[in-house]
C-alpha cells in the first residue's frame, strides 16, 4: 500500500492545526489577558511571575487558561476512550490512517472554536470581565482537545501546540552528520505554520479584529476536509476516497 499520499495529507493537517495554534495564542495574548491558550509552559512561567508580583489578574488568567486546557485534554481523552471499542477501532485505523475517534475529537474542537468565535463576536472582539474568562477557557479547551487528537494522529515527532520539541528535533537532525533529515519537511512546515498563523492574527488584531476567530476556525475546517479527502474514517461511515 502506498502511504505517501496519506503522509502528505497528515503534513498538511499538521501545518493547518499549527497555524490555528499560532493564531489562537496571539488572539489570547492580545485580547484575553496576556496569556497563551496552547503554550502551557509559557502559562506556568507566567503563573509563577504573577505569584512573585502579586498580580491577581495575571494569576487568574493563567489559571483559567491552564484549567481550560486540562479540561480539553481530559474531555478529548474521554471521547477517544468511549469510541475506541478496541477491535472496531483497530480495524478502522489501518496503516497510517488515524482511527475514527480522532475525527470525532477534532469535531469536538470545531464546536469549541465555534463557541469561541461566537463569544468573540458578541463581545465586539474585546471580551471583558467574566466574558473574557469564558472565551479564554473555551479557546484553551479547544487547544487541549487538539493536542490530544494530534497525539493519536500518527504525526511522527511533531506537535501542533508545543513546538520546542519539534524545533529541537529539526535542529538535531540537521546537525547530525551523514544522516537524512527525517520528517524535515513536516517539522519545517509546522514551524512556518505557527509563524504564519501568529503573524496573520497579529495583523488582523490591529486592523480587523472581528475576523480573528475565523483564522483558527478556517484552519480546522481545512484540516478536516483534507482528512476526509485522504480517506479518514468519518463518523457515520466512509471517507473521501
Amino acid at each position: 500500500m502506498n502511504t505517501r499520499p496519506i503522509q502528505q495529507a497528515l503534513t498538511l493537517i499538521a501545518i493547518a492545526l499549527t497555524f490555528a495554534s499560532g493564531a489562537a495564542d496571539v488572539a489570547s495574548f492580545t485580547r484575553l489577558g496576556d496569556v497563551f491558550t496552547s503554550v502551557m509552559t509559557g502559562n506556568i512561567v507566567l503563573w509563577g511571575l504573577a505569584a512573585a508580583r502579586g498580580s491577581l489578574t495575571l494569576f487568574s488568567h493563567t489559571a483559567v487558561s491552564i484549567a481550560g486546557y486540562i479540561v480539553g485534554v481530559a474531555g478529548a481523552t474521554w471521547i477517544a476512550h468511549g469510541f475506541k471499542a478496541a477491535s472496531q477501532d483497530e480495524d478502522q485505523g489501518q496503516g497510517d490512517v488515524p482511527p475514527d475517534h480522532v475525527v470525532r475529537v477534532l469535531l469536538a474542537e470545531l464546536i469549541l472554536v465555534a463557541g469561541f468565535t461566537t463569544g468573540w463576536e458578541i463581545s465586539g472582539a474585546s471580551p471583558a470581565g467574566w466574558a473574557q474568562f469564558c472565551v479564554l477557557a473555551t479557546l484553551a479547551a479547544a487547544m487541549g482537545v487538539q493536542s490530544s487528537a494530534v497525539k493519536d494522529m500518527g504525526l511522527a515527532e511533531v506537535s501542533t501546540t508545543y513546538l520546542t520539541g519539534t524545533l529541537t528535533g529539526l535542529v538535531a537532525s540537521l546537525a547530525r552528520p551523514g544522516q537524512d533529515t527525517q520528517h524535515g519537511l513536516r517539522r519545517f512546515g509546522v514551524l512556518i505554520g505557527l509563524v504564519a498563523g501568529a503573524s496573520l492574527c497579529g495583523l488582523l488584531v490591529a486592523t480587523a479584529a472581528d475576523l480573528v476567530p475565523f483564522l483558527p476556525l478556517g484552519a480546522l475546517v481545512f484540516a478536516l476536509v483534507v482528512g476526509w479527502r485522504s480517506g479518514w474514517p468519518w463518523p457515520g461511515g466512509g471517507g473521501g476516497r
Side-chain angles (χ1 to χ4, degrees):
M1 177 182 177
N2 182 14
T3 62
R4 185 174 180 180
I6 296 174
Q7 289 301 318
Q8 290 174 338
L10 285 174
T11 297
L12 281 176
I13 289 166
I15 293 171
L17 293 178
T18 311
F19 178 94
S21 297
D25 278 326
V26 169
S28 63
F29 198 82
T30 56
R31 294 293 175 99
L32 300 178
D34 298 327
V35 297
F36 303 104
T37 51
S38 73
V39 187
M40 291 303 110
T41 302
N43 277 345
I44 293 171
V45 170
L46 290 174
W47 209 4
L49 179 62
R53 290 181 173 178
S55 173
L56 180 60
T57 299
L58 182 58
F59 187 88
S60 59
H61 280 82
T62 51
V64 167
S65 185
I66 293 169
Y69 187 90
I70 290 172
V71 169
V73 173
T77 302
W78 179 82
I79 292 172
H81 179 76
F83 284 102
K84 270 182 178 175
S87 59
Q88 276 190 347
D89 216 39
E90 288 173 5
D91 289 339
Q92 290 171 345
Q94 296 175 1
D96 292 315
V97 179
D100 68 345
H101 74 264
V102 170
V103 177
R104 296 178 188 273
V105 170
L106 288 177
L107 289 172
E109 182 189 357
L110 182 63
I111 293 171
L112 287 169
V113 174
F116 157 71
T117 302
T118 301
W120 182 278
E121 298 301 329
I122 288 175
S123 63
S126 295
W130 284 106
Q132 187 180 69
F133 284 117
C134 290
V135 172
L136 174 62
T138 301
L139 186 56
M143 293 298 102
V145 169
Q146 178 175 303
S147 294
S148 182
V150 169
K151 179 173 61 68
D152 292 338
M153 206 178 288
L155 290 168
E157 301 184 39
V158 167
S159 168
T160 63
T161 51
Y162 37 94
L163 277 294
T164 303
T166 299
L167 179 60
T168 301
L170 176 62
V171 174
S173 64
L174 289 171
R176 191 181 301 126
Q179 297 287 330
D180 292 333
T181 307
Q182 192 177 24
H183 310 299
L185 178 61
R186 186 174 291 170
R187 286 167 167 160
F188 270 120
V190 295
L191 291 169
I192 292 171
L194 183 73
V195 173
S199 299
L200 188 52
C201 186
L203 179 63
L204 289 182
V205 165
T207 60
D210 287 347
L211 299 180
V212 163
F214 296 100
L215 295 177
L217 188 65
L220 183 54
V221 169
F222 175 81
L224 285 165
V225 170
V226 171
W228 176 73
R229 293 287 297 170
S230 65
W232 280 17
W234 204 257
R241 292 194 296 179

